[in-house]
Amino acid sequence: MDIFREPKVSRRAVIVGGASSAAVTALVPASAQDAKPSTLAASVPEMLKVSFTVNGKVRELELDTRTTLLDALREHIQLTGTKKGCDQGQCGACTVIVDGRRINSCLTLAVMHEGDKITTIEGLGAVGDLHPMQAAFLKHDGYQCGYCTPGQICSAVGMLAELKAGVPSHVTADPAVGPKFSNAETRERMSGNICRCGAYSNIQEAIAEVAGVRS
Amino acid sequence: MKPFSYERATSPADAVTRAAAKPGARFIAGGTNLLDLMKLEISTPAHLVDVNGIGLDTIEKTADGGLRVGALVRNTDLASHAAVTKGYPLLSKAIVAGASGQLRNKATTAGNLMQRTRCPYFYDKNLPCNKRDPGTGCAAAGGYSRGHSVIGVSGNCVCAYPSDMTVALHALDATVEIMQLDRTTRTLPVRDFHLLPGDDLPVGEFALKPGELITAVVLPKPVGGKQLYHKVRDRASYAFALVSVAAIIQPDGTGHVAFGGVAPKPWRSDAADAALPRGAKAVTDTLFADATPTDQNQFKLTLATRTLGAVLIDAKAS
Ligand SMILES: Cc1cc2nc3c(=O)[nH]c(=O)nc-3n(C[C@H](O)[C@H](O)[C@H](O)COP(=O)(O)OP(=O)(O)OC[C@H]3O[C@@H](n4cnc5c(N)ncnc54)[C@H](O)[C@@H]3O)c2cc1C
Ligand code: SF4
């Protein structure tokens, strides 16, 4: 028996199981195994309160547990700078910085971020007060249609912090020695951000300028 | 996505208790594999137990000179830890060969071990798949099988196991530490943690019972040698392996080797390791003697020999 061999259980059975939670030794109570799935019950969303800080501002939300961090930012806080591309962690358009680290906001639930500090493209800088990475993207024309740009910029900022902290990458010759700033390093580390227009060389120019290396 | 209830566990024992109390519960760690599958309704847990607050996020030396890696240690932190880059560079290299920077920042040790196949039919709910819906058949048999396994398959399932990290853990002979439902701990060699599909349904995948919690991965004392991870894929970065090789080569030519991308679990054997001093072909002849490739993935056998050949050259040169 392995973990993915369990019988499918209904929502109703979960409520029953929850009420009789004293029986912790049996993972799936016999009653639950026998229960017929109820599609009606299965469609009732669960709501939960969560509070986190976005770009310095505390946000208190009550959300369907299914809401991703990406959808919470875009649909509930109206911060639409963060983009939805593939919604499967493959394109990087949804990249935001959580507690100092870049992540894909599409593959994480909003309710998993209680107390976290989230920075989106809107929080990095503003018109008239651009983050150096935003300014460099403008200067080097690091985009064409612009859809992947917020993710590229948040990713680039997080990526340079990782490089500085000595996180190795696939092109680091010796992880024990650590990485050196180079175009090969920044290219490899940005592979999680896809640009369908193919503005990669200008994106790399922008990153190189901020990192202080020649691309 | 199907609706689900959600709660945060506060300790490993609390996580096991909470999961046991709710049928259909699943642990969520980084969420990078589970949420993907939940969006597609391939996984439909009725309840999620968030294990991000339970600790288990540290890397500690063990009494016998090995390393105990907590289940919640992020892939980025594991690959960067000084004890890993110095003592187990193979593990570091394998981790950074997988996924992207963003994903590795979220992905955990246990979640990575437990990631499920990338078989395109497993992801396509319109087509039969024994792994997703036991008894429906396997669309990959007789289908598009270029990325599938060349060995270890059964009539029920021919998928390949996708993790890079785990290939290194197999070569390093790691152990998985598991908290059982009664909250006692059992350990299992990682080589026995991953199962072959076999002839029964549902197909075999992981030697973990529902509700059991992985608490750590334990590495034996560092073994030294040249440690190399070579991954061959369709693009230079951010793609799953067609074939990968994790190798530890000692100065006398002996060592350990494990292959990724070729089987439903990382593929290795003691007999193949023993053949290492005789070169790449001797190893793959031993290891893949029982291979059953299709016309489409036959190339993986040649690629496996050549990739190991390249690794052995690198091991001499570096
Ligand atoms: C676009 C993309 C590309 C990728 N490319 C690669 C690649 O090239 N190579 C590679 O190796 N990987 C790759 N990955 C996969 C990635 O490595 C995994 O998604 C990640 O490691 C999963 O870890 P997690 O913590 O996010 O797991 P989760 O999604 O949180 O969990 C995965 C599974 O593990 C279970 N689980 C988690 N923790 C525990 C525990 N402590 N005990 C018991 N069960 C537990 C969960 O219940 C779930 O079933 C890729 C992923 C994406 C989305
Ligand atoms: S190979 Fe396995 S995962 Fe793929 S369709 Fe067949 S049964 Fe499903």
Side-chain angles (χ1 to χ4, degrees):
Chain A
M1 175 91 172
D2 74 43
I3 188 161
F4 297 113
R5 296 181 178 194
E6 68 209 81
K8 298 242 188 256
V9 290
S10 70
R11 181 106 203 121
R12 193 175 159 70
V14 172
I15 295 160
V16 172
S20 60
S21 58
V24 291
T25 42
L27 184 78
V28 182
S31 61
Q33 284 183 4
D34 296 334
K36 289 264 183 312
S38 150
T39 40
L40 187 69
S43 61
V44 179
E46 285 274 340
M47 302 298 288
L48 216 61
K49 287 204 169 103
V50 65
S51 160
F52 43 65
T53 305
V54 185
N55 303 331
K57 202 165 152 190
V58 177
R59 302 286 191 160
E60 279 165 18
L61 301 168
E62 186 165 3
L63 298 170
D64 185 326
T65 51
R66 292 173 290 182
T67 314
T68 60
L69 179 59
L70 171 62
D71 286 340
L73 292 170
R74 288 182 55 85
E75 312 296 334
H76 296 266
I77 312 180
Q78 279 72 49
L79 287 173
T80 52
T82 307
K83 297 292 185 259
K84 184 181 280 193
C86 69
D87 212 23
Q88 294 186 316
Q90 297 182 4
C91 77
C94 68
T95 304
V96 298
I97 300 170
V98 176
D99 292 340
R101 291 189 161 203
R102 56 176 174 157
I103 65 163
N104 301 103
S105 61
C106 76
L107 283 186
T108 187
L109 296 170
V111 292
M112 294 169 77
H113 291 281
E114 180 66 38
D116 285 358
K117 289 193 174 56
I118 298 153
T119 304
T120 68
I121 190 71
E122 291 93 340
L124 275 185
V127 177
D129 180 27
L130 294 179
H131 184 279
M133 192 64 79
Q134 290 171 316
F137 268 67
L138 274 175
K139 178 177 163 193
H140 293 278
D141 216 1
Y143 45 79
Q144 284 178 37
C145 80
Y147 195 79
C148 72
T149 314
Q152 296 277 3
I153 292 176
C154 286
S155 185
V157 170
M159 179 276 291
L160 288 183
E162 288 161 17
L163 194 47
K164 214 168 154 192
V167 173
S169 87
H170 182 56
V171 299
T172 306
D174 182 351
V177 175
K180 294 191 177 60
F181 279 90
S182 72
N183 197 237
E185 281 286 358
T186 55
R187 274 179 187 277
E188 161 60 24
R189 288 162 192 268
M190 289 298 291
S191 70
N193 291 82
I194 310 291
C195 169
R196 297 313 299 266
C197 303
Y200 296 111
S201 58
N202 292 2
I203 291 170
Q204 284 300 322
E205 296 278 344
I207 292 172
E209 175 164 316
V210 177
V213 293
R214 288 169 65 101
S215 69
Chain B
M1 223 187 299
K2 291 261 200 286
F4 54 86
S5 48
Y6 164 95
E7 63 186 338
R8 297 178 196 103
T10 54
S11 70
D14 181 51
V16 169
T17 305
R18 286 176 190 272
K22 304 251 175 141
R26 183 84 83 224
F27 300 120
I28 186 162
T32 61
N33 190 223
L34 185 57
L35 286 172
D36 197 9
L37 295 171
M38 284 171 63
K39 286 182 186 186
L40 297 164
E41 298 188 358
I42 293 165
S43 285
T44 53
H47 183 71
L48 289 184
V49 176
D50 184 343
V51 291
N52 285 286
I54 67 171
L56 303 181
D57 55 355
T58 55
I59 300 175
E60 287 151 17
K61 290 239 155 69
T62 59
D64 60 358
L67 215 57
R68 185 172 183 276
V69 180
L72 271 296
V73 172
R74 307 289 156 179
N75 283 181
T76 297
D77 298 324
L78 183 52
S80 313
H81 196 278
V84 177
T85 58
K86 292 197 172 66
Y88 313 88
L90 173 61
L91 182 55
S92 210
K93 291 174 185 175
I95 290 171
V96 297
S100 66
Q102 290 97 312
L103 288 162
R104 294 192 297 268
N105 280 345
K106 273 265 123 193
T108 62
T109 311
N112 193 321
L113 268 185
M114 296 280 297
Q115 65 173 289
R116 305 193 74 191
T117 185
R118 294 278 160 173
C119 170
Y121 302 109
F122 175 70
Y123 272 83
D124 185 346
K125 286 183 71 186
N126 297 308
L127 291 168
C129 169
N130 280 329
K131 181 161 275 187
R132 175 173 26 82
D133 296 310
T136 54
C138 170
Y144 180 71
S145 58
R146 178 174 177 268
H148 291 74
S149 293
V150 294
I151 197 161
V153 301
S154 78
N156 287 332
C157 179
V158 296
C159 77
Y161 174 71
S163 165
D164 291 293
M165 179 193 86
T166 306
V167 185
L169 292 179
H170 278 240
L172 288 163
D173 209 0
T175 304
V176 184
E177 202 180 276
I178 296 161
M179 185 179 281
Q180 307 182 94
L181 298 189
D182 63 4
R183 274 156 293 164
T184 58
T185 297
R186 70 179 170 105
T187 57
L188 199 64
V190 71
R191 294 167 183 178
D192 298 331
F193 179 80
H194 297 92
L195 306 175
L196 293 179
D199 295 323
D200 297 329
L201 286 172
V203 296
E205 217 172 335
F206 304 104
L208 197 72
K209 295 190 189 80
E212 285 187 327
L213 179 78
I214 299 172
T215 49
V217 166
V218 182
L219 296 163
K221 206 162 88 202
V223 292
K226 292 273 158 57
Q227 303 196 0
L228 297 157
Y229 190 75
H230 204 115
K231 179 175 179 181
V232 184
R233 43 187 158 173
D234 284 332
R235 56 183 186 200
S237 184
Y238 203 21
F240 287 93
L242 289 167
V243 167
S244 71
V245 173
I248 304 164
I249 310 295
Q250 301 297 347
D252 63 0
T254 62
H256 296 289
V257 60
F259 287 81
V262 292
K265 62 188 263 186
W267 204 247
R268 61 159 305 282
S269 76
D270 290 342
D273 283 353
L276 259 174
R278 289 185 283 121
K281 182 107 185 10
V283 171
T284 52
D285 280 352
T286 309
L287 197 54
F288 297 105
D290 299 327
T292 52
T294 64
D295 288 349
Q296 292 170 43
N297 63 27
Q298 174 87 38
F299 77 94
K300 285 192 177 184
L301 292 171
T302 318
L303 193 55
T305 308
R306 290 182 182 168
T307 309
L308 178 57
V311 164
L312 295 180
I313 290 169
D314 282 358
K316 277 211 184 97
S318 60

